[in-house]
Amino acid sequence: MGRVTVRRPVRRITATGDRRRPDSLAAEEPLELRVGGRALSVTMRTPGHDVELAHGFLLSEGVIGGREDIAVARYCDGVDNQGRNTYNVLDIALAAGVPPPDVGVERNFYTTSSCGVCGKAALDAVKLKTRYSPAGAPFAVKSETLATLPDALRAQQKVFASTGGLHAAALFTPDGGIDVVREDVGRHNAVDKVLGWAVMAGRIPAPGHGLLVSGRVSFELVQKAAMAGIGLLAAVSAPSSLAVELAEENGMTLIGFLRGESMNLYTGDHRVLT
């Protein structure tokens, strides 16, 4: 497996002096995802939890609905200039009877670490319909519980603590318990990894969980939560206008600027108890 962090020399200039020292950087490597031997997408990600990433990606693209839809996931041969396996090519075999991905799921080139919908083969494939409507999710949480979550998330961001260069996502319960945290250079990859964890654990749909992200909320992150049947998405930063529109359309609760005891409720405020 590729390294999660990479050490590089850096020249650091501060008010007290100028010196050279090693610095830790978040690793970023390509992962080619194949389904049935056919290339589907290439995404730039932080190595680790790749099988979860694949499960979450296929769930959020509507290809699968649960763990029973995937027969096997395996790394393919891919070597570097020294002949070592890069573990950067992952092939998914769908279970018998599961249709292959529609052409709209295919990426023309690759998915960057900042955008999970770049390169969609068809614009009308960007907006997907979930098989697990989040509108009826009974999830509700107290505002004081929400206020504790950003610090709880940060405490589990081990790689961020050493690099300062990763996003994080988490699934949490109404009492504020965090079931899983994943980090990645890409916001959408971090979300795919936690959703993939839920798929592999047999917890999809997930109406009893909320999704927490460490950065801003874009359209794609709301879409991923909706595809998992999650009714509440909270973020420490701002949502986009389209994210708010999609959350409202799907009957979801969207929270932004979750910092300390303050937060903005953009949609579905009935799930936040005060």
Side-chain angles (χ1 to χ4, degrees), residues 179-225:
D179 281 353
V180 60
V181 173
R182 293 290 182 262
E183 297 180 278
D184 201 276
V185 288
R187 292 187 306 275
H188 63 284
N189 288 337
V191 171
D192 279 342
K193 287 179 178 181
V194 299
L195 296 185
W197 172 88
V199 171
M200 297 177 70
R203 300 191 184 188
I204 293 296
H209 282 86
L211 175 63
L212 175 67
V213 296
S214 62
R216 62 182 178 85
V217 179
S218 57
F219 164 90
E220 58 178 332
L221 299 192
V222 175
Q223 176 177 282
K224 289 178 183 295

Side-chain angles (χ1 to χ4, degrees), residues 101-180:
D102 292 334
V103 66
V105 178
E106 296 177 2
R107 267 49 176 178
N108 289 335
F109 298 105
Y110 70 95
T111 301
T112 71
S113 57
S114 61
C115 177
V117 297
C118 302
K120 276 279 192 177
L123 290 178
D124 58 1
V126 171
K127 197 169 185 179
L128 299 171
K129 184 177 181 179
T130 177
R131 66 183 79 184
Y132 307 122
S133 173
F139 190 92
V141 61
K142 295 180 180 179
S143 59
E144 55 263 38
T145 300
L146 285 168
T148 68
L149 292 176
D151 286 343
L153 176 63
R154 178 62 64 86
Q156 296 193 45
Q157 290 181 249
K158 296 179 181 180
V159 183
F160 178 86
S162 63
T163 66
L166 290 181
H167 296 282
L171 291 178
F172 64 93
T173 57
D175 62 1
I178 293 181
D179 281 353
V180 60

